[in-house]
Amino acid sequence: MSQSVSIAVVGSGYVGLVAAACFAEIGHRVVCVDNDEAKVRMLREGGIPIHEEYLPELLNRHRENRVEFTSDLRKATQGAQAIFIAVGTPQSETGSADLSYVDAVASEIARSIDGYKVIVEKSTVPVYTNEWICRVIERNGVSREMFDVASNPEFLREGTAVTDFLHADRIVLGAETPRAAEVLGAIYEPLSSGEYYRSANAVPGPRTSDDPPPVLLTSTKAAEIIKHASNALLATKISFINVVANICESAGADVQEVAKGIGMDTRIGPKFLRAGIGYGGSCFPKDVAAFRHVAEQMGVEFGLLGEVEKINSEQRRRFFRKVRSALWTFRGKKIAVLGLAFKGGTDDIRESPAVDIVQWMLKEGATVTAYDPAAAARASEVLPAGPQMKYADDAYAAAQDADALLILNDWQEFAELDLKRLHYTLRYPIVVDGRNLYDPAKMAEMGFTYLSVGRPGISHTRDAAVGPRLV
Ligand code: UDX
Ligand code: UDX
């Protein structure tokens, strides 16, 4: 039977809150700290600030029993054996990670230390951050044997965060001392031993008691680099396939066939080869920039990452130009938009390509009616509703009398539209799909002018792109 560990998680964002809920789920006692009083109040009252599958169930299961919420960092950390730092590490003006929240939290932890603690970096941080945290804590008068700083990077994806956490590909533990490694090992023991997967209420996923996630024990620095390098490599894969898509588009080939052919090579693998309008979100853009900055600081030339970023920002512009050329001009056009979050399955609009594209269309005089199953409330903070910008309650309401429909993220329901209904709802049956959710031949058969990314564009009729709908 695994032992229960007392844990404090500082920062209740996507990473902190999910980690806290999952630590409770695997049997630990967790205090979640956040300096946003309103968020703490909401969490205490049973509210959940983010859209994440299984998170409500887990928090309901463990609230007031194994998880509590507070804004009092001192109280939370004093009883804890391990303190996870999961505050934001946003991009600063220079592209490097802004570590001021981590710095502030480290000082505050130092002032509350009352016994040996393992302080764990959970946020994505540049290599050497662990040494800085050590220095900050020592500067506050805490002796070295009272604490260790370890790194336990988190690889969860938004939308599937709980499953990713509990059914991880790997658990990376970066620690410098046996006692830090021991505490971290005990925290993950219910997963690494397979015990969790035998419990009746376990969140379902690919891992089983016979195939639990492997633990990789590394140095703290290696763990820090593993996180940055993983995100940078995934972003590179996406930019790579997007350029290949653009080649396919000119050559008249289908990038999905090409991606399938590349991905069948087990050395490459099929994942993260979906061409589209580029990556967004709170991690890839900031982590690619931060890793490039880390390389620079180490005196290493990593121009590749600059190219990855350039390709990524060009991809959404290219898509925007594609829409414009299908419509001739945006002024006075009514555009339906499906998807505002940076991908399907989340309400997060940080660095969302969809938001940029909508903004550019509005600037060129289009009227936009958008639908996203979860992100409308957040999107309306940057794209306020008004005469030019409207929000609809479903895909068909967004499509009503529109001159074209754009698909900008990949919610499952966007791939399952009633195409007949969509056809007669739109003013012109033009669909520009930034996520390749439909088969071009099927769309043509259904009477649509259908443009996607890296696949031959197909028109139902030669002039369907500008002409009225044929009934
Ligand atoms: C996380 C990681 O921190 C980041 O490194 C990783 O790359 C992506 O995910 P995320 O969980 O998305 O960030 O951050 P965010 O949603 O901004 O949440 C951070 C939380 O920390 C917020 O609730 C904020 O109120 C809180 N916070 C911030 C503190 O409690 N104290 C602080 O000093 C600063
Ligand atoms: C990512 C990493 O996957 C995760 O391991 C890390 O902890 C945080 O950053 P996330 O940002 O939640 O997770 O989303 P992810 O599913 O990785 O997608 C990132 C972006 O890439 C999205 O905009 C998505 O639409 C895009 N993407 C992803 C593609 O364009 N093509 C793909 O093949 C895959």
Side-chain angles (χ1 to χ4, degrees):
M1 192 58 190
S2 305
Q3 82 191 71
S4 173
V5 180
S6 304
I7 297 173
V9 179
V10 187
S12 305
Y14 282 86
V15 171
L17 193 56
V18 170
C22 293
F23 285 146
E25 171 71 0
I26 59 175
H28 305 300
R29 280 161 289 119
V30 188
V31 185
C32 233
V33 199
D34 205 288
N35 62 3
D36 179 341
E37 301 269 0
K39 194 182 263 190
V40 172
R41 211 172 314 120
M42 177 188 197
L43 285 162
R44 272 195 189 145
E45 288 165 2
I48 297 176
I50 52 173
H51 176 92
E52 205 56 68
E53 206 184 2
Y54 296 116
L55 188 60
E57 289 89 326
L58 294 197
L59 288 176
N60 284 338
R61 202 179 282 172
H62 304 297
R63 187 181 278 113
E64 282 160 23
N65 164 17
R66 290 203 208 125
V67 189
E68 39 176 312
F69 301 97
T70 179
S71 52
D72 185 344
L73 186 135
R74 169 181 283 267
K75 216 171 87 199
T77 54
Q78 277 182 342
Q81 293 163 267
I83 304 166
F84 284 78
I85 303 182
V87 294
T89 50
Q91 193 172 330
S92 72
E93 274 169 21
T94 59
S96 63
D98 174 354
L99 297 175
S100 54
Y101 296 134
V102 176
D103 180 12
V105 166
S107 309
E108 225 180 316
I109 292 172
R111 288 193 289 270
S112 350
I113 282 188
D114 58 348
Y116 173 74
K117 312 275 176 204
V118 184
I119 297 158
V120 193
E121 303 165 341
K122 195 67 167 156
S123 302
T124 304
V125 289
V127 64
Y128 283 121
T129 302
N130 72 90
E131 291 188 353
W132 274 106
I133 295 177
C134 280
R135 237 171 277 168
V136 167
I137 295 177
E138 280 185 300
R139 249 184 230 155
N140 279 279
V142 182
S143 69
R144 204 56 199 78
E145 57 290 352
M146 290 285 276
F147 71 97
D148 276 307
V149 178
S151 167
N152 167 222
E154 187 44 64
F155 301 100
L156 55 80
R157 288 163 300 172
E158 289 180 20
T160 52
V162 169
T163 316
D164 287 345
F165 189 103
L166 294 170
H167 294 265
D169 282 352
R170 76 297 206 192
I171 295 164
V172 175
L173 305 179
E176 301 301 326
T177 67
R179 61 177 178 169
E182 199 181 307
V183 173
L184 283 174
I187 291 173
Y188 284 99
E189 168 84 11
L191 299 180
S192 60
S193 67
E195 182 190 322
Y196 173 69
Y197 310 101
R198 281 191 288 271
S199 59
N201 292 327
V203 169
R207 292 287 178 197
T208 61
S209 52
D210 295 330
D211 181 27
V215 170
L216 179 67
L217 210 52
T218 67
S219 71
T220 315
K221 283 179 196 161
E224 290 168 328
I225 294 176
I226 286 170
K227 174 64 198 190
H228 262 157
S230 299
N231 274 359
L233 186 56
L234 290 168
T236 303
K237 251 185 138 176
I238 298 170
S239 279
F240 186 90
I241 200 66
N242 279 333
V243 177
V244 173
N246 299 341
I247 294 171
C248 287
E249 223 165 272
S250 299
D254 182 335
V255 69
Q256 286 185 318
E257 286 182 4
V258 174
K260 196 168 174 189
I262 302 172
M264 283 167 86
D265 185 326
T266 51
R267 293 169 302 174
I268 297 172
K271 292 182 182 166
F272 276 69
L273 287 178
R274 274 179 287 116
I277 51 178
Y279 60 78
S282 69
C283 291
F284 284 177
K286 124 178 126 52
D287 291 348
V288 171
F291 199 38
R292 192 157 55 85
H293 210 266
V294 165
E296 228 171 86
Q297 276 180 326
M298 307 285 147
V300 176
E301 179 65 48
F302 208 160
L304 173 66
L305 295 186
E307 285 303 312
V308 167
E309 290 173 323
K310 217 161 83 192
I311 292 163
N312 193 55
S313 54
E314 174 54 21
Q315 196 65 7
R316 60 187 79 173
R317 292 220 161 261
R318 187 182 161 97
F319 180 82
F320 173 69
R321 291 196 297 271
K322 185 181 289 178
V323 180
R324 186 166 46 198
S325 62
L327 293 170
W328 190 18
T329 146
F330 279 113
R331 192 150 304 281
K333 294 279 163 53
K334 191 167 181 282
I335 311 291
V337 162
L338 300 188
L340 293 164
F342 76 98
K343 63 173 190 178
T346 176
D347 60 351
D348 196 343
I349 57 151
R350 288 180 281 182
E351 303 288 330
S352 171
V355 170
D356 272 0
I357 291 166
V358 170
Q359 270 164 343
W360 297 332
M361 292 193 294
L362 294 174
K363 209 165 152 212
E364 294 206 4
T367 300
V368 173
T369 307
Y371 166 64
D372 187 292
R378 292 206 170 178
S380 65
E381 289 166 22
V382 285
L383 297 166
Q388 238 191 307
M389 180 71 212
K390 300 187 176 78
Y391 290 90
D393 290 333
D394 64 55
Y396 307 99
Q400 191 66 50
D401 295 324
D403 292 291
L405 175 104
L406 312 189
I407 301 176
L408 299 184
N409 73 19
D410 52 0
W411 281 93
Q412 188 55 33
E413 63 173 273
F414 297 163
E416 295 166 353
L417 297 171
D418 174 343
L419 294 175
K420 268 197 190 138
R421 183 172 170 199
L422 184 67
H423 193 284
Y424 67 69
T425 306
L426 285 165
R427 182 154 180 255
Y428 296 110
I430 302 172
V431 173
V432 194
D433 181 356
R435 301 291 183 159
N436 291 350
L437 301 185
Y438 287 94
D439 172 14
K442 168 105 191 290
M443 292 302 275
E445 203 184 292
M446 297 292 294
F448 287 95
T449 291
Y450 178 71
L451 302 169
S452 53
V453 179
R455 302 185 300 173
I458 294 188
S459 283
H460 175 55
T461 60
R462 231 170 52 123
D463 59 354
V466 286
R469 171 165 51 93
L470 303 170
V471 234

